[in-house]
């Protein structure tokens, strides 16, 4: 059974969605996305731990509270375990069980899922004592370098669904097009829907005066 | 041997890259991306035809000139053939031979590769007499509907590399991070490189006064 670790910040998440969602909605939406991810890791048979910046609970996972930055928290956590670990971001609700199975069945020492724009949306590390994470910026390249310096083989996993982290208004389009979990249902409950203008696909929200 | 068809517009392509590339560079860059795609379809054993809006030639493919809109040209072409066909866009230079093999080996009647933002970046059609294309807008949903109405089974292919069509400045980041073909070499020859500012990854160009 592989351990899945999901870092999560319950308070004031997803600030770049402020143009569409109010603070309370952003918090709820972040939990819905996390819930979609937890269902997938659990569904793939992983034991799932949330590393949260504060007290938090969600069905299907344990929570460890660590009031540290993302890298500091993850690296401290990695230093304390002795088993293969899958780190996965909480904002990729399109992830499927098949995606998770594909990563954790890699024959390499590590498997990395790049996010759009140079990020890392998930990383599987067979031996955490030989690896440390470095998120932010071009973390995809950084993680490739860290693995290479440690002499670890890496498989890069090619998946659109997992490369799609939800940060900005435009990203919500992907949930409405390809999602089928709680985060999609929550968006729809808020009256958010697809809108096509001049051939470009965006979103609009019923309750607002004008299209967002 | 599967027939691969790539629509291409040699003149004034990729206007949304005008902020980074001058008109001549855009034309060259579009050809480099096309070349990366043609090498992949050929490498996967496809016979490759370019449907071009005007006279054009490139190694590894035949060209058919059709001075029509994208949908009109493709549907006219589809109506004239009686074999499985892979339609693939010319602006997805990250595509790999494994990607192509995965699509054309589908067991379904069709296979669709969604692009980011609701588009369709490639579609495999086993029996072109039973399908017509409808690009632009939410073409991914439109193609799913067309297949459903025709009673055709569809496999949706989950690939980041093929979902990444290069339209805007931000998309160039992906070529520098994940590309290894002619389009990447051309960008580098123009002095375009990655730039990280406030944790966000973008591109900059040597010859310009300021970062783009």
């Amino acid at each position: 059974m592989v351990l899945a670790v999901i870092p999560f910040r319950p308070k004031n998440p997803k600030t770049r969605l402020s143009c569409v969602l109010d603070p309370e909605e952003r918090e709820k939406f972040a939990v819905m996305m996390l819930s979609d991810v937890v269902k997938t890791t659990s569904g793939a048979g992983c034991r799932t731990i949330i590393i949260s910046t504060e007290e938090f609970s969600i069905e299907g996972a344990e929570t460890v509270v660590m009031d540290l930055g993302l890298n500091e928290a993850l690296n401290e956590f990695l230093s304390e375990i002795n088993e293969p670990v899958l780190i996965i971001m909480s904002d990729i609700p399109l992830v499927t069980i098949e995606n998770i199975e594909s990563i954790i069945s890699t024959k390499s020492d590590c498997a990395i899922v790049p996010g759009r724009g140079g990020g890392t949306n998930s990383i599987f590390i067979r031996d955490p004592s030989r690896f440390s994470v470095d998120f932010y910026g071009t973390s995809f390249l950084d993680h490739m370098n860290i693995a290479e310096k440690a002499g670890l083989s890496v498989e890069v996993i090619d998946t659109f669904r997992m490369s799609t982290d939800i940060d900005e208004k435009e990203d919500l389009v992907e949930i409405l097009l390809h999602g089928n979990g709680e985060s999609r249902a929550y968006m729809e409950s808020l009256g958010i829907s697809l809108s096509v203008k001049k051939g470009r696909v965006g979103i609009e929200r019923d309750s607002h005066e004008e299209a967002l």
Side-chain angles (χ1 to χ4, degrees), chain A:
Chain A
M1 180 182 268
V2 169
L3 176 61
V5 172
I6 311 174
F8 188 62
R9 184 170 65 123
K11 279 210 174 155
N12 197 26
K14 296 289 148 200
T15 50
R16 285 192 268 160
L17 292 176
S18 299
C19 55
V20 200
L21 303 176
D22 72 27
E24 192 188 336
E25 289 166 346
R26 281 191 281 117
E27 289 192 3
K28 277 190 192 166
F29 182 59
V31 172
M32 299 298 165
M33 292 202 289
L34 172 65
S35 176
D36 286 340
V37 176
V38 168
K39 276 185 188 141
T40 317
T41 53
S42 305
C46 297
R47 181 164 76 95
T48 304
I49 293 183
I50 314 289
I51 297 189
S52 175
T53 47
E54 50 208 296
E55 291 298 330
F56 177 79
S57 71
I58 191 166
E59 204 182 311
E62 307 156 53
T63 299
V64 173
V65 178
M66 296 176 88
D67 188 15
L68 291 170
L70 178 63
N71 291 322
E72 293 72 20
L74 285 171
N75 285 325
E76 184 166 315
F77 187 86
L78 291 180
S79 72
E80 289 166 0
I81 58 172
N82 290 296
E83 58 180 312
V85 63
L86 176 75
I87 298 170
I88 179 167
M89 296 298 113
S90 65
D91 61 354
I92 51 169
L94 299 184
V95 60
T96 64
I97 290 175
E98 292 71 29
N99 288 149
I100 303 288
E101 288 170 343
S102 147
I103 300 170
I104 63 180
S105 65
T106 184
K107 296 199 167 42
S108 302
D109 299 319
C110 300
I112 297 185
V113 181
R116 194 166 184 272
T120 305
N121 284 357
S122 183
I123 183 166
F124 172 78
I125 308 164
R126 198 174 300 282
D127 179 357
S129 74
R130 299 176 67 191
F131 198 91
S132 62
V133 297
D134 185 4
F135 282 89
Y136 302 120
T138 53
S139 72
F140 171 71
L141 296 181
D142 298 337
H143 288 140
M144 294 295 280
N145 285 333
I146 291 166
E148 191 182 17
K149 282 184 186 158
L152 301 173
S153 60
V154 182
E155 183 182 2
V156 178
I157 309 276
D158 176 21
T159 154
F160 167 67
R161 298 188 72 91
M162 289 190 74
S163 76
T164 305
D165 42 319
I166 307 299
D167 290 315
E168 302 184 353
K169 194 181 66 176
E170 291 72 26
D171 302 327
L172 299 177
V173 166
E174 308 303 341
I175 297 185
L176 290 174
L177 285 165
H178 303 289
N180 47 23
E182 289 185 41
S183 48
R184 176 181 178 149
Y186 183 63
M187 282 176 62
E188 289 175 338
S189 78
L190 294 176
I192 295 173
S193 60
L194 289 176
S195 126
V196 183
K197 283 183 185 147
K198 295 183 186 170
R200 302 281 185 87
V201 183
I203 59 147
E204 60 190 5
R205 187 171 172 174
D206 282 350
S207 54
H208 285 207
E209 284 299 307
E210 48 191 277
L212 294 159

